[in-house]
Amino acid sequence: MITLFYQVSKSETSLSSLRFISSFSSFKNPGVFRSRDDDFSNSCNPFQLINHLNQKPKPTIKEIKITHTQCFKVGFTQSDIFVANSLADLYCKSGSMGDALCLFEEIPHPNVVSWNLMISGYNQSLRYEGSWGLFRKMQDLGFEPDRFTYGSVLSACAASRNVHGGEQVYGLVVKNGFFLNGYVRSGMIDVFLKSFCLEEALRVFRDVWCKNVVCWNAIIAGAVRSGENWLALDIFHEMLCGVLMPNSYTFPSVLTACAALGELQFGRGLHGWVVKFGFDEDNFIGTAIVDLYVKCGIVDDALKVFSRMKIHNVVSWTAIISGFVQMEDSVSALEFLKKMKVVGIEINKYTVTSILTACAKPEMKKEASQIHCWILKFGFYSDPTVRDSLINMYSKGGEIDLSEMLFWENDGPKNVDSWAVIISGFAQNHNSERTIEMFCKMCREGLRPEKFCSSSVLSIIESIDMGRQIHGYIFKDALVFDVAVGSALFTMYSKCGSLAEAYKIFKQIHEKDEVSWTSMITGFADHGYPNRALNLLQDMMDAKYRPDQVTIAAILTACSSLPSLWKGKEVHGYALRVGIAKDTVVSGALVNMYSKCRFLTYARRIFESMPRKDLVTWSSLISGYSKNEYVEDSLMLFHKMIFVGLETDAFVISSLLGMTAKLTKLKIGKQLHARIVKVGLDSDPSVGSPLVEMYSKCGNVEESQEVFDTIEQPDLVTWTSMIVGYAQHGKGSEALRVYDLMREKGIKPDLVAFVGVLSACSHNGMVEEGYFHLNSMTQDYGINPGLRHYACMVDLLGRSGRLKEAKTFINNMPIQPDALVWGTLLAACKVHGNVELGKLAAKRVHELEPSDSGTYVSLSNILANEEQWEEVLNVRSSMTDAEVTKETGWSSI
């Protein structure tokens, strides 16, 4: 065998023999080698010496040099190319490239193996420029590279991301006929992939059909690294269709793609193949399967695979811990960390960051402190990723002060990622002032915000002016076209009520994802544009995006706003078809939609079928019953909600109080008031306002005032309820006193508040005050009066007997009077017996609302009071001719 090996080395070597030579150092059996003849003693036989060194795990430089000296003494380094190459290979593997190069330059006639060993040695030493320089020198001296040469130099180009050099080498590959070699082609594919040039890698891959599984593995792995997971699965499918069998290097990449896409069913199929082909004991494949089940939320299956693995490395342990973190099972995550430490697995930074995420909860403060101490003890704190995770853990646990302390504790320069974490922490704690302040500090230090940082800042902005400034800033960095930043930007505009600007940004995003579509649909649905939301859903489905639970819930909100039972049923049918109708979010939205569409039978049926009912769902159904005046059903459901242990919230109480106020059920209202006091909602303005209104409508304005006085910071709605309550009970002076007090508190009145003020003036005959407040709307607050405000003024003038002035006022209105305005004048004419003006007012009402029976009755009563019986008959005859019937009076008593 050694004679054959010697003869091969002396020649230019065939491809098959080169493979044999390149694996020489892996031979461990000393019996394989024999001396070439009997001229050498055993002590100085170079083949035995070299074989002896190859048996050692890592021979020292001293041992290699001793062997080199022995070979030199007997002249083998100059006369035997095999011995010289073997020594050079030993120097390369020991990392002594200087000695290897000196030996290489002493070889009188180096062959292609010699060059290959040196180029490979430079690669092993990470000296890729040396590999490239040696390759060029080889060409200049006229040596013809072989497939191993090309493969090694392409590896150097890939590691150094030298795309231009790689393309030059590949040109020689094509020229010299090595194009079909899978080893060379996989090297060129790797060059492009490591330089993030996936399209060029695909071009090389698809130039000719390749039967080498290495090339397929390289392109699949590259696609996964580039985030093109669907492409990776498509190529894997092509591989199978081409009757190529995957190997142990194929499955980890394909399983990773399935994990990223959440393709559980396909992943299970791959798991079956792994078991069938006997790869289930491969540690890398087992870890990838664990990761797949974890990311798909099937932690039980992940644990089964993990338990069957013979070797558990840090990656598989970390994957299991991450699974528990994903399920928000922090206790199990910490237990597995303890087990991991017991069996002696060395923990890395990825394990630490997963555990920090598990402790990022307010209830895990004690564990968070312990993990922090442990990190300091074992030296993980110096890692920037761990430090950022610590900052994030404390901010999510509500300890934003500790987060900031850790952030400033690092005196060195802070990178963008660290700034993004602390800015996100302030945003999550709803501290908009500090969020923007830290954002500005980061920018002043010359750092450009990345997409995560920009999205965090945009999430807390509530002022459209500030939002536009941030928009301008991120526009300069072209971040606005990123789907995450773009979505945060148009969500900000949507939240600030500027739907036009939000939609403009949305259309500028080239590659929209499900989140961006859903955010825009939600914006339209929540801000009173339900039809736009429905149209956008159709566009989303036309673009081949599948609506998820959040999208469906937003669309059901739009159907509730219309309200459109027919559209709502369509959406319900779609949710049933795709299997998400049982989801808690979707079920709650369906209950809300059917309740608002007054289809309470279906609402109750879905409600009863829900395995878990949240507070929002209970509130929706109770609100539906309340608004439709189902007193018994709403109260029974409210009692049941309390019985199952759910807390009473402001929305439920407001709904019930609204029903109570409408039906003037004072006894029920007082019971609800007692419940409000018991649960501590009596100082909440959102509850106080309907409570004030309830007592007012039930005729107890004094109780309204008492409730009002208990509210710590009444909002505009609560102030308005108090003003309207006094006005309706004829207490104009008290109403105006409350109005003046409201302005002193710095609260600006709105359209509804001015209706209450003008009503107070009307009920108390305060004409001059009425004119003053009407003018104040425009002059002091820039509010244009509406028809209700003008109707209040007409009522005020009519009650005061100034009918002609009221007519002149109507004629001078800047907007066209409606039936309400003329009807108010007609009512005043009835009180004061003004027939002529009454006829005019009735005529105008008839023109605007021909079917209004009240106008005929009012005019008839005016004429009857003046004993104009003939005119009375004419009015009743006109009423008959117009087929208008008077509604029958009824009483609730």
Side-chain angles (χ1 to χ4, degrees):
M1 182 183 291
I2 193 65
T3 304
L4 174 63
F5 198 10
Y6 174 78
Q7 291 173 349
V8 167
S9 297
K10 296 285 284 185
S11 68
E12 286 299 312
T13 69
S14 66
L15 291 177
S16 59
S17 60
L18 276 175
R19 183 183 300 167
F20 180 67
I21 295 170
S22 66
S23 60
F24 167 75
S25 61
S26 65
F27 292 150
K28 302 295 180 184
N29 185 1
V32 172
F33 301 101
R34 301 191 305 271
S35 62
R36 293 167 53 208
D37 49 49
D38 295 332
D39 294 337
F40 302 98
S41 67
N42 291 336
S43 61
C44 63
N45 188 324
F47 299 101
Q48 288 187 351
L49 292 172
I50 291 171
N51 187 48
H52 174 69
L53 289 181
N54 275 314
Q55 290 180 32
K56 292 191 173 185
K58 191 175 181 180
T60 63
I61 298 294
K62 182 178 179 181
E63 291 173 326
I64 298 171
K65 286 188 175 182
I66 291 172
T67 303
H68 186 179
T69 303
Q70 293 285 349
C71 294
F72 181 78
K73 285 179 179 179
V74 295
F76 263 74
T77 56
Q78 296 291 325
S79 61
D80 196 302
I81 188 67
F82 168 72
V83 173
N85 286 345
S86 299
L87 286 169
D89 184 45
L90 286 168
Y91 278 127
C92 289
K93 288 179 178 177
S94 67
S96 181
M97 289 305 300
D99 292 323
L101 186 61
C102 289
L103 174 61
F104 174 75
E105 290 175 348
E106 291 174 0
I107 300 175
H109 303 290
N111 59 13
V112 69
V113 177
S114 310
W115 291 94
N116 289 349
L117 286 171
M118 291 303 299
I119 292 171
S120 177
Y122 275 117
N123 283 353
Q124 291 170 14
S125 300
L126 309 181
R127 295 167 63 181
Y128 305 115
E129 291 183 2
S131 300
W132 178 250
L134 207 60
F135 173 72
R136 296 189 65 175
K137 185 177 180 181
M138 178 183 182
Q139 286 184 290
D140 293 340
L141 294 176
F143 283 91
E144 288 292 332
D146 63 6
R147 58 175 176 157
F148 298 106
T149 317
Y150 288 127
S152 293
V153 76
L154 285 172
S155 295
C157 292
S160 60
R161 297 182 182 177
N162 182 5
V163 177
H164 181 65
E167 289 175 336
Q168 289 180 320
V169 173
Y170 200 61
L172 292 173
V173 166
V174 175
K175 179 182 176 182
N176 296 330
F178 290 97
F179 177 69
L180 297 177
N181 184 270
Y183 175 61
V184 176
R185 289 183 70 209
S186 65
M188 190 62 213
I189 290 169
D190 197 40
V191 170
F192 283 128
L193 290 175
K194 287 187 177 174
S195 301
F196 308 104
C197 303
L198 180 60
E199 291 185 8
E200 287 80 358
L202 279 168
R203 177 176 52 78
V204 173
F205 173 72
R206 296 194 184 282
D207 277 346
V208 294
W209 172 259
C210 181
K211 294 183 179 180
N212 192 324
V213 73
V214 176
C215 292
W216 290 86
N217 289 347
I219 198 68
I220 290 171
V224 172
R225 285 196 301 270
S226 300
E228 297 291 340
N229 296 297
W230 283 117
L231 176 63
L233 294 184
D234 288 341
I235 294 172
F236 178 68
H237 181 70
E238 288 180 42
M239 180 182 182
L240 299 180
C241 292
V243 199
L244 276 174
M245 295 302 296
N247 61 17
S248 59
Y249 296 97
T250 316
F251 286 110
S253 296
V254 182
L255 286 164
T256 301
C258 291
L261 296 169
E263 283 292 315
L264 178 61
Q265 186 175 357
F266 188 60
R268 285 191 187 279
L270 288 172
H271 188 183
W273 275 33
V274 165
V275 175
K276 180 179 179 181
F277 293 144
F279 293 134
D280 50 324
E281 294 186 2
D282 186 284
N283 197 46
F284 290 102
I285 295 177
T287 302
I289 294 172
V290 169
D291 187 56
L292 165 74
Y293 287 131
V294 162
K295 288 183 176 174
C296 291
I298 315 295
V299 178
D300 290 340
D301 287 0
L303 282 169
K304 289 177 184 176
V305 176
F306 180 81
S307 64
R308 294 185 189 125
M309 292 172 63
K310 293 183 178 180
I311 300 174
H312 299 114
N313 59 13
V314 65
V315 180
S316 56
W317 278 96
T318 303
I320 287 292
I321 291 171
S322 299
F324 286 120
V325 173
Q326 184 177 314
M327 292 179 64
E328 299 186 358
D329 187 354
S330 303
V331 175
S332 297
L334 289 170
E335 285 178 357
F336 259 75
L337 176 67
K338 292 177 183 177
K339 291 178 182 177
M340 186 177 177
K341 290 165 65 180
V342 168
V343 296
I345 300 294
E346 186 177 350
I347 294 166
N348 63 19
K349 65 177 182 179
Y350 301 106
T351 319
V352 175
T353 52
S354 294
I355 288 296
L356 289 172
T357 305
C359 296
K361 297 176 181 178
E363 63 271 20
M364 300 287 288
K365 290 181 181 179
K366 181 180 177 182
E367 291 82 357
S369 299
Q370 291 173 344
I371 294 295
H372 189 174
C373 295
W374 178 75
I375 286 170
L376 291 171
K377 181 180 178 181
F378 288 94
F380 286 108
Y381 188 69
S382 59
D383 188 280
T385 307
V386 173
R387 195 162 52 246
D388 291 345
S389 296
L390 265 172
I391 295 170
N392 182 59
M393 176 190 71
Y394 280 121
S395 66
K396 286 187 175 178
E399 300 284 348
I400 188 64
D401 293 338
L402 284 175
S403 293
E404 188 175 8
M405 185 182 72
L406 286 172
F407 177 76
W408 294 117
E409 194 176 76
N410 179 23
D411 296 330
K414 300 167 181 60
N415 58 27
V416 176
D417 293 335
S418 298
W419 281 99
V421 170
I422 191 64
I423 289 169
S424 173
F426 280 115
Q428 289 166 2
N429 284 270
H430 309 291
N431 192 332
S432 56
E433 184 178 344
R434 294 286 286 137
T435 303
I436 295 169
E437 181 184 336
M438 294 295 280
F439 180 78
C440 294
K441 281 184 179 179
M442 182 189 74
C443 296
R444 282 197 295 270
E445 291 197 6
L447 295 172
R448 311 302 296 179
E450 41 82 74
K451 59 184 181 180
F452 180 68
C453 181
S454 301
S455 300
S456 297
V457 174
L458 288 168
S459 69
I460 53 89
I461 291 176
E462 296 180 353
S463 165
I464 195 166
D465 292 331
M466 176 61 71
R468 284 175 179 150
Q469 290 181 43
I470 301 295
H471 182 184
Y473 196 85
I474 64 176
F475 184 80
K476 293 178 182 177
D477 292 336
L479 285 172
V480 69
F481 300 108
D482 178 84
V483 65
V485 179
S487 297
L489 187 58
F490 72 69
T491 302
M492 180 274 297
Y493 278 121
S494 173
K495 186 171 60 178
C496 293
S498 182
L499 268 296
E501 288 181 270
Y503 189 54
K504 184 178 179 181
I505 299 295
F506 172 76
K507 290 194 293 184
Q508 289 175 356
I509 300 174
H510 300 300
E511 295 184 5
K512 303 176 182 67
D513 59 6
E514 288 86 352
V515 176
S516 56
W517 282 100
T518 300
S519 298
M520 194 67 246
I521 289 170
T522 304
F524 280 133
D526 290 346
H527 289 84
Y529 295 90
N531 287 316
R532 297 286 297 275
L534 289 166
N535 292 336
L536 203 60
L537 174 68
Q538 187 61 54
D539 294 341
M540 176 183 179
M541 298 181 75
D542 290 342
K544 308 301 181 185
Y545 287 97
R546 177 178 169 177
D548 62 3
Q549 294 93 321
V550 181
T551 319
I552 294 300
I555 286 297
L556 288 168
T557 301
C559 297
S560 304
S561 301
L562 285 170
S564 174
L565 180 61
W566 175 61
K567 286 284 185 184
K569 282 187 173 182
E570 278 190 344
V571 177
H572 188 182
Y574 175 83
L576 288 168
R577 190 166 66 252
V578 299
I580 60 175
K582 296 291 184 182
D583 181 83
T584 303
V585 175
V586 176
S587 297
L590 283 167
V591 170
N592 182 55
M593 183 273 296
Y594 282 122
S595 297
K596 288 188 175 178
C597 292
R598 301 191 174 189
F599 209 50
L600 293 169
T601 305
Y602 263 41
R604 187 62 180 261
R605 188 181 301 171
I606 294 171
F607 176 83
E608 296 295 348
S609 68
M610 292 174 66
R612 293 192 304 274
K613 306 172 183 67
D614 58 11
L615 185 58
V616 175
T617 309
W618 284 89
S619 301
S620 297
L621 189 56
I622 292 171
S623 175
Y625 280 130
S626 300
K627 288 179 180 178
N628 289 281
E629 300 178 13
Y630 288 91
V631 180
E632 186 175 346
D633 291 305
S634 59
L635 291 175
M636 288 294 292
L637 199 61
F638 178 63
H639 284 303
K640 189 175 180 180
M641 185 186 83
I642 296 171
F643 180 76
V644 297
L646 287 173
E647 294 183 2
T648 305
D649 71 339
F651 181 76
V652 176
I653 289 292
S654 299
S655 301
L656 293 169
L657 287 172
M659 174 190 68
T660 306
K662 190 174 181 181
L663 300 176
T664 62
K665 301 283 187 180
L666 183 59
K667 184 177 179 181
I668 296 173
K670 286 189 173 183
Q671 291 176 352
L672 290 171
H673 189 183
R675 181 70 187 177
I676 290 168
V677 173
K678 182 178 180 180
V679 298
L681 290 173
D682 49 321
S683 60
D684 189 332
S686 62
V687 174
S689 179
L691 194 57
V692 167
E693 185 180 3
M694 184 274 296
Y695 277 120
S696 175
K697 288 191 175 180
C698 290
N700 198 336
V701 72
E702 290 78 13
E703 287 281 354
S704 295
Q705 183 66 58
E706 288 181 13
V707 171
F708 180 83
D709 292 337
T710 62
I711 301 172
E712 293 178 359
Q713 292 183 333
D715 58 9
L716 176 60
V717 177
T718 311
W719 284 98
T720 302
S721 298
M722 200 67 241
I723 292 168
V724 172
Y726 275 125
Q728 289 174 344
H729 287 80
K731 298 186 177 184
S733 300
E734 287 84 349
L736 295 178
R737 177 183 58 79
V738 174
Y739 171 69
D740 291 335
L741 187 60
M742 179 184 79
R743 292 194 301 164
E744 289 175 11
K745 296 290 185 182
I747 298 177
K748 295 181 180 180
D750 63 355
L751 288 167
V752 181
F754 274 112
V755 170
V757 170
L758 294 172
S759 296
C761 295
S762 174
H763 283 81
N764 290 269
M766 301 175 178
V767 178
E768 300 306 322
E769 288 83 351
Y771 275 118
F772 170 79
H773 290 298
L774 184 69
N775 294 329
S776 175
M777 289 180 67
T778 307
Q779 295 172 4
D780 298 334
Y781 300 103
I783 301 173
N784 294 321
L787 290 168
R788 290 190 65 189
H789 303 96
Y790 288 117
C792 287
M793 281 303 300
V794 172
D795 185 52
L796 171 57
L797 294 171
R799 286 173 184 264
S800 302
R802 297 158 71 165
L803 298 180
K804 289 185 179 180
E805 187 177 344
K807 177 188 173 186
T808 304
F809 179 84
I810 293 173
N811 291 332
N812 293 330
M813 281 171 53
I815 56 177
Q816 284 291 331
D818 65 349
L820 174 63
V821 175
W822 286 111
T824 304
L825 179 60
L826 178 60
C829 292
K830 177 184 175 183
V831 172
H832 296 284
N834 191 323
V835 178
E836 295 303 320
L837 195 53
K839 287 181 178 179
L840 174 65
K843 181 181 178 182
R844 294 288 186 266
V845 176
H846 285 153
E847 291 171 355
L848 294 167
E849 292 186 2
S851 60
D852 181 40
S853 61
T855 307
Y856 289 99
V857 174
S858 295
L859 181 57
S860 175
N861 290 338
I862 292 172
L863 295 170
N865 289 338
E866 297 298 320
E867 298 184 355
Q868 296 182 16
W869 306 113
E870 187 175 343
E871 291 290 337
V872 171
L873 291 173
N874 291 335
V875 169
R876 294 190 176 180
S877 176
S878 302
M879 188 175 178
T880 304
D881 293 340
E883 297 182 351
V884 176
T885 57
K886 178 180 178 297
E887 290 185 12
T888 305
W890 59 278
S891 172
S892 60
I893 300 175

